[in-house]
């Protein structure tokens, strides 16, 4: 494996690995324990600088391309929740501020829960979703006779939408009606209610970015470390270990169902983005399932004391898998704490044969 930094020359069909890449001049930070690999097709390639036409790709282009591809491919829509931003009016987010059919549009200022939308997949129309408001949970966005409204009555096909990527690997989507197949949600002006269904030519004001309720980061935390290599007798230590979901706030969760679904969907997206091993996925998924089986969020975590004995001549540490769920609303944020593993060594170095120690930053 070769690890590239700064600028690289890539021949047609080359496979480029990105590993622990940091590019601070461009404010990029993309960290992987395992490498991502994409084949980049280039029409000409670099040989001797006096022989043939050269074709160089700067690393910043490669990183941007790889990040956009990875994020787009890892986005989990089913039962996930999003803030939905317009491309042209980049601060404008879809929102529903009341229970009237026309009480829907965009808002550019403070974040409120009525700007969160759940994408509920239709059971038989693959790729079509109901777009359901978090606060007004009986309401869905509808294309009623080519008008952009919200509706709380029976479910009809004019309430189904599909999300079509822009084609530019930029994370933006056209939101098409599944009934009126040419109709797209468009924002034609800066006003909160300047939004409509539109079937004419494509413009950037019809593009929307889906920002998940949670951003996930996976890592391994050092719970305890004691170096007894210079010692001549065993050392006993009692440490506290927490497992389950640990919330950052005591703020009451209004809708536990959508909260749980968003956490689960975001974690699945992280699995896809980072290409995590089956063992790690099973560890995280099992702990999350066990945690969310409890209805009361006060029971989502448990803490226990464990006694460890550090033998003389040994370097000893305890590591734990963790996932941080960073919420768009600060009071939403939480961490999932899962299994622990003991590492013991005769030196300053600890072997990690099963790759328990990970760090995936989104």
């Amino acid at each position: 494996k070769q690890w590239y930094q700064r600028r690289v020359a890539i021949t047609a069909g080359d496979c480029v690995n990105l590993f622990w890449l940091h590019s601070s001049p461009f404010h990029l930070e993309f960290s992987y324990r395992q490498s991502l690999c994409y084949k980049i097709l280039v029409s000409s390639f670099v040989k001797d600088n006096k022989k043939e036409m050269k074709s160089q790709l700067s690393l910043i282009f490669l990183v941007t391309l790889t990040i956009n591809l990875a994020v787009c491919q890892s986005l989990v829509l089913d039962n996930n929740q999003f803030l939905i931003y317009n491309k042209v009016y980049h601060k404008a987010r879809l929102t529903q501020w009341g229970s009237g059919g026309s009480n829907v549009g965009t808002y550019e200022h403070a974040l409120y829960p009525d700007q969160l939308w759940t994408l509920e997949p239709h059971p038989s129309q693959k790729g079509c979703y109901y777009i359901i408001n978090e606060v007004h949970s009986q309401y869905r966005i509808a294309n009623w006779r080519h008008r952009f409204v919200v509706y709380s009555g029976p479910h009809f096909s004019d309430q189904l939408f599909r999300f079509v990527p822009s084609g530019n690997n930029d994370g933006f989507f056209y939101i098409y009606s599944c009934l009126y197949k040419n109709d797209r949600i468009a924002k034609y002006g800066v006003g909160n209610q300047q939004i409509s269904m539109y079937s004419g030519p494509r413009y950037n004001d019809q593009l929307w970015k889906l920002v998940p309720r949670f951003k996930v980061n996976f890592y391994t935390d050092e719970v305890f470390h004691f170096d007894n290599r210079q010692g001549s007798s065993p050392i006993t230590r009692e440490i506290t270990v927490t497992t389950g979901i640990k919330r950052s706030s005591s703020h009451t969760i209004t809708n536990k169902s959508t909260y749980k679904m968003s956490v689960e969907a975001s974690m699945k997206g992280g699995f896809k983005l980072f290409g995590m091993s089956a063992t790690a996925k099973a560890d995280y998924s099992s702990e999350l399932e066990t945690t969310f089986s409890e209805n009361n969020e006060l029971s989502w975590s448990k803490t226990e004391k464990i006694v460890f004995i550090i033998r003389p001549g040994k370097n000893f540490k305890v590591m734990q898998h963790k996932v941080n769920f960073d919420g768009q609303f600060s009071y939403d944020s939480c961490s999932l704490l899962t299994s622990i593993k003991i590492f013991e060594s005769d030196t300053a170095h600890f072997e990690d044969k099963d790759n328990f120690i990970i760090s995936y930053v989104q």
Side-chain angles (χ1 to χ4, degrees):
K1 294 180 180 179
Q2 291 181 318
W3 310 118
Y4 293 85
Q5 298 179 2
R6 300 179 186 272
R7 297 180 65 86
V8 292
I10 306 171
T11 64
D14 267 359
C15 186
V16 178
N17 293 297
L18 306 178
F19 185 80
W20 290 104
L21 176 67
H22 299 277
S23 184
S24 56
F26 297 95
H27 306 289
L28 288 176
E29 188 173 274
F30 205 52
S31 302
Y32 281 94
R33 188 69 175 182
Q34 297 174 339
S35 61
L36 279 181
C37 184
Y38 285 94
K39 287 187 179 294
I40 309 297
L41 299 179
V42 184
S43 58
S44 58
F45 56 91
V46 179
K47 285 189 176 179
D48 186 270
N49 59 4
K50 292 183 180 180
K51 290 184 178 179
E52 294 197 16
M53 180 72 74
K54 298 177 181 179
S55 176
Q56 284 195 334
L57 296 176
S58 69
L59 187 55
I60 181 61
F61 169 76
L62 178 61
V63 172
T64 303
L65 175 62
T66 304
I67 291 174
N68 285 333
L69 282 170
V71 171
C72 186
Q73 292 172 356
S74 69
L75 194 64
V76 172
L77 300 185
D78 290 17
N79 299 310
N80 205 353
Q81 287 188 298
F82 299 93
L83 299 171
I84 304 178
Y85 285 82
N86 188 261
K87 183 170 186 177
V88 172
Y89 305 96
H90 64 280
K91 292 288 188 180
R93 302 174 295 275
L94 289 182
T95 186
Q96 181 181 347
W97 55 81
S99 56
S102 61
N103 293 155
V104 62
T106 59
Y107 188 66
E108 291 198 359
H109 302 294
L111 282 175
Y112 296 105
D114 59 10
Q115 298 162 26
L116 274 176
W117 300 88
T118 302
L119 303 189
E120 181 183 297
H122 190 274
S124 59
Q125 289 186 245
K126 186 176 180 180
C128 291
Y129 295 86
Y130 297 106
I131 307 175
I132 305 168
N133 191 261
E134 166 72 0
V135 172
H136 308 279
S137 57
Q138 299 300 313
Y139 283 80
R140 303 167 296 281
I141 291 177
N143 182 8
W144 181 66
R145 298 177 182 177
H146 308 287
R147 291 177 57 195
F148 179 80
V149 298
V150 286
Y151 182 69
S152 63
H155 290 67
F156 296 112
S157 55
D158 63 359
Q159 301 156 29
L160 289 171
F161 294 86
R162 56 193 175 94
F163 294 80
V164 179
S166 69
N168 298 318
N169 292 319
D170 56 3
F172 284 91
F173 295 83
Y174 294 101
I175 306 177
Y176 277 87
S177 169
C178 289
L179 178 63
Y180 304 107
K181 299 188 183 300
N182 290 324
D183 282 8
R184 304 175 296 280
I185 299 176
K187 181 167 177 58
Y188 56 87
V190 71
N192 289 342
Q193 290 188 290
Q194 289 185 292
I195 188 168
S196 67
M197 303 305 305
Y198 181 73
S199 61
R202 288 184 174 185
Y203 298 109
N204 283 344
D205 60 10
Q206 301 158 30
L207 288 170
W208 303 86
K209 175 163 283 188
L210 306 182
V211 178
R213 182 173 181 174
F214 296 101
K215 181 175 72 173
V216 295
N217 297 310
F218 298 81
Y219 65 102
T220 309
D221 188 36
E222 183 178 284
V223 179
F224 172 73
H225 183 199
F226 192 95
D227 190 346
N228 199 26
R229 284 179 292 165
Q230 305 303 317
S232 57
S233 59
I235 300 294
T236 301
R237 289 289 185 272
E238 182 181 76
I239 66 169
T240 299
V241 176
T242 300
T243 56
I245 286 284
K246 187 175 181 180
R247 297 185 60 217
S248 63
S249 167
S250 58
H251 186 277
T252 301
I253 300 173
T254 306
N255 189 332
K256 292 189 186 72
S257 176
T258 56
Y259 185 90
K260 290 178 181 180
M261 287 194 303
S262 294
V263 167
E264 290 169 357
S266 295
M267 189 169 72
K268 289 178 182 177
F271 290 163
K272 292 172 66 177
L273 176 62
F274 300 124
M276 296 182 66
S277 69
T279 302
K281 287 192 287 187
D283 180 32
Y284 290 119
S285 299
S286 175
E287 186 63 49
L288 189 63
E289 183 179 356
T290 301
T291 297
F292 280 161
S293 65
E294 298 285 346
N295 291 323
N296 187 346
E297 63 262 35
L298 297 178
S299 302
W300 283 357
S301 67
K302 61 179 181 180
T303 301
E304 59 181 326
K305 292 182 178 180
I306 304 176
V307 175
F308 293 101
I309 299 175
I310 302 95
R311 295 182 295 164
K314 295 295 180 181
N315 196 4
F316 183 96
K317 71 176 178 180
V318 179
M319 305 291 287
Q320 183 179 38
H321 278 163
K322 289 189 178 182
V323 191
N324 280 345
F325 296 91
D326 297 325
Q328 297 296 325
F329 301 87
S330 59
Y331 53 78
D332 266 355
S333 297
C334 64
S335 296
L336 174 67
L337 299 85
T338 70
S339 61
I340 63 171
K341 182 179 179 180
I342 296 172
F343 288 81
E344 197 174 56
S345 174
D346 297 327
T347 69
H349 174 71
F350 293 93
E351 288 191 5
D352 184 22
K353 294 181 180 179
D354 58 355
N355 295 318
F356 185 84
I357 300 174
I358 58 177
S359 179
Y360 299 122
V361 181
Q362 191 174 2

